[in-house]
Amino acid sequence: MTTAAEAKKRVQQLRDEINHHNYLYYVEDAPEIPDSEYDRLLRELQALEQEYPDLITTDSPTQRVGAAPLKAFAEVKHKVPMLSLNNAFDEQEVSDFDRRICEKLERKEITYAAEPKLDGLAISLLYEDGVLVRGATRGDGSSGEDVTQNVRTIETIPLKLHGKGFPQTLEVRGEVIMTKSGFNKLNETQRAKGEKTFANPRNAAAGSLRQLDSNITATRPLEFYSYGVGQVTGGKLASRHSDILKQLRDWGLRLNPELKVVKGVKGCLEYYQNILNKREQLNYDIDGVVYKVDGLAEQDVMGFVSRAPRWAIAHKFPAQEEMTTLLAIDVQVGRTGALTPVARLEPVFVGGVTVTNATLHNQDEIDRKDVRVGDTVIVRRAGDVIPEVVSVVTSKRKKGARKFKMPAHCPVCGSEVLRLDDEAAARCTGGLFCEAQRKEAIKHFAARKAMDIDGLGDKLVEQLVDEGLIHDAADLFTLKKDDVAGLERMADKSAQNLIDALDKSRSTTLDRFIFSLGIRQVGETTARTLAQHFGSFDALMKSKEDELINVSDVGPIVAESICHFFHEKHNRDVINKLLKAGISWPDIEVTPKSKQTLAEKTFVITGTLSSMGRDEAKAKLIALGAKVTGSVSKKTDYVVVGENPGSKATKAEQLGVEILDEDKLLALMK
Ligand code: 9MJ
């Protein structure tokens, strides 16, 4: 039996301990205890508070649950206005900004705090004696909405500040965002429930935070990063912006890991480029970077113009979404016969390039977004991914905008188009009779990760098929220099180069050959596993479904697809022709089961290794029985981190997955 006094003491102990682990987890990114242990502490606290409800305080870590829905948000007047930022769209505008500051401060070089510009929702958090008492939106800058109940549900916002030395009143400012992965998951759930989906993470974050029912907010994957302060009384903060941020961090508020102090325009522009290069890898949307004069005394001298400080500027990235007109919808046929509707667009500059085509994915997506020919649409191009039509600006729809329906016959070969019940894609049933599918199969065969035929690009494959010079991949090896030299825009020298490249490609590896065949469901990794498992092509070709299922990572669908492929006579014919053309590979030594020291272990490799290529490392690991996958999850056993690792290294740390450097990897492989 616990006495009330004992309970009180234990409750305090638990809260301190939980707050400490929250700090380690959210701020330091370095949890000390497993999730299970954390949950145990939280449950113990919940149980005690249930038994002694008098002990419950609003800053207890158990009090993150939603509260009763509100009728409306109350208004909050910001004591210190929440400013907006002026924008710079190019280097010249950044130089002008810097020059104005240098002139006014009579300095040669300015020190700036550089930060990513998060694309979320600006929020003010008010702490009184270290306890979160109010959360408010920016609103128009002078007054916003009271969203206290909602911000309390966000785990990265401390209900109570950590450590000591914070001012009596401290208003923290920052951005509430939704991560890209959280956003995708949320939209999936919304779709499954037949509820409205969100256009982008920013809208999802805003929609989630402005819920009158905080129970809904509590289910949404929101996060908070702080980037400044507002009202401060009863205490003093550091005299540089970057040092204030460090203080906030010590008090348990999360900072963006990309924050950096830089010098002069040069430092700013280098920072810009560095963050722009990382943009796609970050798990949250940013629309630029912000430079702030680091010294607060200097900031004061600079002052403000209307609503924006003269000491800060947002250097914007090229927009990833733009509006344009959908001129037509064409249908493309892929290697496996899948029909993809492609939007032909009025050219538009987006994500740094001019875009004229964008994918519409499939019929269901077109229907869901209600895309019609003639519509004004929003096109998104992010990084190297294929541009896509995100949504329609319905208010701009003109009369006569036409709905789209997938054709019943293949636009290339005229064969029937079928859509299986459980598939999103409609497919041409023409198989290798369909010229489009044949062309795609040959392009795949020649690709870098397959047979790696240098100089045989997509356009050339199309010409060769169109001219009737080749019919399948094996015909490539019967080409003579003169056949090729006769083609449009093909000089004698390039023709010889192609023949040489074809010759060279004859010596390959078994896994590349398997991958190059374009068997459905057999990607690079599966091809490698199959090569290692069977050791010879003959053994793979003769294998039955029940044996294939025993190969690691091969399930019934993949097994069926492989058997089906080898069952087709025309596939066997092409394979025979290829082997007769002299395609060969070195023998594979199948590592006996007893020597597969890494059996069942899952690896992810990120960054560049110095002693071998990533492909080579993958092959070696697979030979030792390991699985090598592309993304880090709780199921990953090891993440191998080379030079310049991507976000996978960070993810591994967050999940507590063991990290190996190259030396440790080599030791494991011995
Ligand atoms: C964002 N959105 O990431 C500011 N911001 O500073 C950063 N916004 C800001 N700073 C003063 N990093 C006003 C707004």
Side-chain angles (χ1 to χ4, degrees), residues 72 91 122 144 178 258 299 321 395 422 438 486 505 511 515 554 638:
E91 297 189 357
M178 192 176 286
E258 311 294 339
Q299 287 187 2
E321 289 188 1
S395 61
D422 55 349
R438 271 192 290 121
S505 75
D511 56 310
F515 176 59
V554 172
Y638 302 102

Side-chain angles (χ1 to χ4, degrees), residues 318-368:
Q320 291 185 314
E321 289 188 1
E322 286 292 350
M323 217 163 67
T324 189
T325 310
L326 173 61
L327 304 173
I329 298 178
D330 288 346
V331 173
Q332 272 177 1
V333 186
R335 176 165 60 83
T336 59
L339 303 189
T340 306
V342 177
R344 305 292 178 205
L345 306 165
E346 187 71 45
V348 61
F349 193 74
V350 50
V353 298
T354 302
V355 167
T356 48
N357 304 314
T359 180
L360 286 159
H361 301 291
N362 54 53
Q363 182 76 54
D364 286 353
E365 282 291 287
I366 294 182
D367 294 345
R368 189 175 67 74

